[in-house]
Amino acid sequence: MNQSPQKMGPSEALVEVLAANGVTHVFGIVGSAFMDALDIFPAAGIEFVPVAHEQGAIHMADGYARASGNHGVCIAQNGPGVTNFVTGVAAAYWAHSPVVFITPETGSMSIGLGGFQETEQLPIFSKITKYQGHVNNPKRMAEIAARCFDRAMLEQGPAQLNIPRDFFYGEIDTTIPGPMRVAPGAGDSAALDDAAQTLAAAQFPVILAGGGVIMSGGTAEAVALAELLHAPVCNSYLHNDSFPASHALSVGPLGYQGSKAAMKLIAQADVVLALGTRLGPFGTLPQHGLDYWPKRAKIIQIDVDPRMLGLVKPIATGIHGDARAAAAALIERLKGRPLAGHANRAERTGRINAEKQAWERELTEWTHERDPYSLEVAANSKHLHPRQVLRALEDAMPANAMVSTDIGNICSVANSYLRFDAPRSMFAAMSFGNCGYAFPVICGAKMAKPDRPAFAYVGDGAWGISFNELLTCARQRIGVTVVVFNNSQWGAEKKNHVDFYSRRYQGVNLANPSWAGVARAFGCEGVTVERLADVGPALQAAAGAQSQGRTTVLEVMVTQELGDPFRRDALSKPVRWLQKYKDYE
Ligand SMILES: Cc1ncc(C[n+]2csc(CCOP(=O)(O)OP(=O)(O)O)c2C)c(N)n1
Ligand SMILES: [Mg+2]
């Protein structure tokens, strides 16, 4: 950071901005477009992490950001390298990940002429970024690069830094702006007063802790508020790390394959405090046959993005504020005040404990799926029941683990078996829902937190999309553990064929190689797990290998049984009008 302008090259200005923002890792694949900046990374203390595919780079930057709370950064060659980022940017957008992705573009003197590796790089990302910085003059390199870092953090989402490739060169006089971080604050005090009033009068308050609790570092405040109100706390969908699972008031996640205890308890709420959650539409869909969202409860919603307030669910009070600061402000207002919920505290404790115990018992007994299709395929299989495997993995999971999960039937069922005490531990593919997310994301998380055990849960189909990054693990000695659920099918989609299309299978059955053998061919460890008793020990051995920078693929052979579908809302039985398609009803 220099206060008065200094002479330097634009590449130096860019790298100085990275250094000023504490960047130590940049993920990518080398390209001629950014050689001049790349060359000086080592002198700035920045490690370039070469990956197998640019989608891996952006996912790794996402995982790095989610695990660390700092920026994740990646860079690619103009044109094809940059377009390979698209899916990962969209995923990071919906994961609220402060990623800065640097996109060198065709040189300013040839843009529009249809030269080599040219495409318009701003429109492609316009709907999946929080900010797009375009360096329109090399003299503005530092200013615009710094703004990307500020905006990614301010808005918790991806920022694009687009740089015509000739603008890396030259001589400029520039200052290097320091990071600008703005604390969002607790929100409007009248709204907080109103919320405190509602909570004080609540008979059965329930807290729904969202990603905002994690991102704001507000776990301690959420715990203190829950204890003050003696309110059970549900995790919002795929944020099982938003409240410590071992806490007596923790009741587990809502949403797809979530906790029945959480659902049954929130259904009884007269007041719901939605703390740091946008109440995304998929997060509260009916599940396990329970339409649990309490339609008559007063909803208080706190979100740092005002556009999320009341967007999906009607709310009584909206607070535009940071989850941590708002929780602290509510505690201040509620401390020492008479709380209606204190009168029935013992009775509520009984209800909370009873629901938690009932769900735990049910999960333990729920060793396999019971629908006709699942019973049929499991009867003809020597492989393991997915639910039993998930329970064994849960039991063997080391303390302080980070787990990423992919999109698929078994990964979704895993939601019931993933419990965390620390924030920044669960990295599910969020609302964008792209298969192939989990593995590169856990690689990035591991780079950010090398001392934490790191696991990815991936279906065999999604594994086919993402296993190329085993190259990166072997080359860079990144030690993670991947559990590949090998059911020889794109199971989540096959479930739709079973439920709606009379088992007319198309493109859902997978002939797999030995995924353990493939891992070994890449120079990683590969283990095929065929017995339930081996699941836990295999996980622990693989976790041990992480400290030597060894990645292990545990290929778990599971039956083809399938849990409840995700999109109950979105499919209906086919109706055909033309004679030629009549057999397809
Ligand atoms: C990139 C991408 N392509 C396709 C899909 C559609 N899709 C959703 S789940 C799924 C099946 C996942 O299969 P697998 O990874 O084997 O897990 P399983 O369901 O068998 O447990 C597919 C293809 C998607 N979500 N993302
Ligand atoms: Mg599968």
Side-chain angles (χ1 to χ4, degrees):
M1 263 167 287
N2 59 321
Q3 300 306 318
S4 50
Q6 215 180 324
K7 183 182 294 188
M8 63 184 85
S11 285
E12 292 167 273
L14 170 64
V15 174
E16 281 294 291
V17 170
L18 299 187
N21 281 277
V23 175
T24 53
H25 295 82
V26 174
F27 301 91
I29 291 181
V30 286
S32 55
F34 58 92
M35 285 283 163
D36 196 59
L38 178 67
D39 186 45
I40 56 173
F41 276 11
I46 298 168
E47 183 188 347
F48 179 70
V49 185
V51 300
H53 187 293
E54 286 86 356
Q55 184 177 343
I58 174 80
H59 283 325
M60 286 185 208
D62 182 357
Y64 189 98
R66 293 181 72 182
S68 66
N70 301 323
H71 295 99
V73 185
C74 55
I75 191 164
Q77 175 74 345
N78 55 293
V82 169
T83 53
N84 276 350
F85 276 164
V86 173
T87 298
V89 173
Y93 182 87
W94 289 108
H96 312 289
S97 233
V99 163
V100 176
F101 63 106
I102 306 172
T103 61
E105 84 170 3
T106 303
S108 62
M109 292 307 291
S110 61
I111 196 153
L113 302 182
F116 190 52
Q117 299 178 327
E118 177 175 348
T119 186
E120 279 194 57
Q121 295 184 175
L122 291 168
I124 292 172
F125 296 99
S126 64
K127 299 293 181 192
I128 46 178
T129 41
K130 294 290 187 176
Y131 180 69
Q132 295 182 289
H134 174 70
V135 178
N136 66 333
N137 185 307
K139 292 181 188 146
R140 298 187 69 189
M141 178 73 91
E143 174 208 337
I144 292 167
R147 188 160 303 118
C148 286
F149 279 87
D150 292 344
R151 290 291 176 89
M153 210 42 93
L154 181 70
E155 299 202 33
Q156 290 291 305
Q160 178 180 7
L161 176 56
N162 199 55
I163 312 169
R165 45 185 294 171
D166 50 325
F167 289 180
F168 282 88
Y169 301 93
E171 186 185 303
I172 57 174
D173 280 309
T174 190
T175 52
I176 305 298
M180 188 187 67
R181 300 288 173 265
V182 180
D188 174 54
S189 67
L192 286 160
D193 289 345
D194 181 56
Q197 181 69 34
T198 306
L199 287 165
Q203 298 287 331
F204 201 104
V206 174
I207 296 176
L208 176 52
V213 175
I214 301 163
M215 287 176 246
S216 66
T219 303
E221 287 76 4
V223 168
L225 185 58
E227 288 175 355
L228 186 64
L229 294 166
H230 196 64
V233 183
C234 311
N235 309 106
S236 71
Y237 182 48
L238 298 179
H239 285 300
N240 298 12
D241 52 348
S242 65
F243 195 82
S246 61
H247 194 285
L249 290 167
S250 166
V251 297
L254 291 183
Y256 185 37
Q257 296 290 351
S259 150
K260 278 193 189 174
M263 295 171 198
K264 288 183 176 169
L265 287 162
I266 204 168
Q268 301 172 38
D270 59 345
V271 176
V272 173
L273 175 63
L275 183 59
T277 165
R278 67 188 179 93
L279 296 173
F282 285 100
T284 54
L285 279 182
Q287 184 59 193
H288 306 303
L290 302 169
D291 190 2
Y292 51 84
W293 188 255
K295 295 183 187 61
R296 280 189 296 278
K298 280 191 180 166
I299 313 294
I300 302 163
Q301 187 186 7
I302 299 170
D303 203 284
V304 78
D305 179 352
R307 285 167 290 219
M308 297 302 123
L309 297 172
L311 176 66
V312 180
K313 299 278 184 211
I315 57 173
T317 308
I319 299 173
H320 172 204
D322 167 81
R324 175 187 186 166
L330 287 173
I331 292 167
E332 231 12 80
R333 283 164 170 78
L334 290 166
K335 246 185 348 205
R337 186 159 162 175
L339 301 174
H342 270 193
N344 61 4
R345 189 185 158 112
E347 190 259 331
R348 286 190 295 134
T349 306
R351 274 200 265 174
I352 294 166
N353 292 343
E355 290 301 356
K356 284 176 74 166
Q357 281 156 17
W359 174 233
E360 220 42 64
R361 242 188 342 267
E362 185 172 345
L363 265 188
T364 303
E365 285 160 13
W366 198 349
T367 52
H368 60 86
E369 305 301 344
R370 296 171 191 130
D371 58 286
Y373 163 83
S374 292
L375 291 173
E376 192 182 313
V377 288
N380 297 325
S381 171
K382 59 182 186 329
H383 295 318
L384 305 176
H385 295 302
R387 282 186 178 272
Q388 284 189 309
V389 172
L390 291 167
R391 197 54 146 179
L393 291 170
E394 179 193 350
D395 290 342
M397 193 58 72
N400 203 28
M402 304 187 287
V403 184
S404 67
T405 57
D406 219 281
I407 291 292
N409 193 275
I410 300 173
C411 282
S412 302
V413 174
N415 198 24
S416 294
Y417 304 87
L418 287 168
R419 297 151 204 249
F420 304 95
D421 275 339
R424 301 196 181 279
S425 298
M426 181 173 177
F427 311 114
M430 307 301 292
S431 309
F432 196 58
N434 60 304
C435 287
Y437 180 84
F439 174 46
V441 162
I442 205 66
C443 293
K446 183 73 176 184
M447 302 235 39
K449 296 284 169 193
D451 296 333
R452 295 185 68 184
F455 304 87
Y457 285 6
V458 188
D460 53 346
W463 185 238
I465 293 182
S466 51
F467 71 91
N468 56 351
E469 296 303 341
L470 284 174
L471 287 169
T472 308
C473 291
R475 289 169 179 160
Q476 301 300 116
R477 301 192 58 75
I478 304 171
V480 299
T481 302
V482 189
V483 181
V484 175
F485 300 104
N486 187 344
N487 59 5
S488 301
Q489 59 186 2
W490 290 103
E493 299 299 354
K494 189 178 195 173
K495 181 73 176 159
N496 296 323
H497 287 163
V498 172
D499 288 352
F500 295 94
Y501 297 94
S502 306
R503 304 193 188 182
R504 290 188 295 272
Y505 299 135
Q506 287 203 66
V508 290
N509 290 323
L510 297 170
N512 285 322
S514 158
W515 286 122
V518 169
R520 290 193 292 270
F522 274 83
C524 297
E525 311 288 339
V527 179
T528 306
V529 181
E530 292 176 289
R531 296 183 327 163
L532 189 59
D534 294 340
V535 173
L539 187 85
Q540 278 160 355
Q546 292 186 17
S547 52
Q548 288 104 54
R550 305 282 298 161
T551 280
T552 307
V553 173
L554 298 178
E555 178 188 27
V556 186
M557 307 307 291
V558 287
T559 73
Q560 296 202 312
E561 65 197 272
L562 291 166
D564 257 8
F566 185 35
R567 301 302 305 269
R568 262 194 204 290
D569 62 316
L571 288 153
S572 49
K573 290 276 183 198
V575 179
R576 313 293 177 200
W577 302 98
L578 298 180
Q579 196 51 42
K580 103 189 237 206
Y581 301 121
K582 275 290 172 200
D583 289 344
Y584 292 80
E585 282 195 346

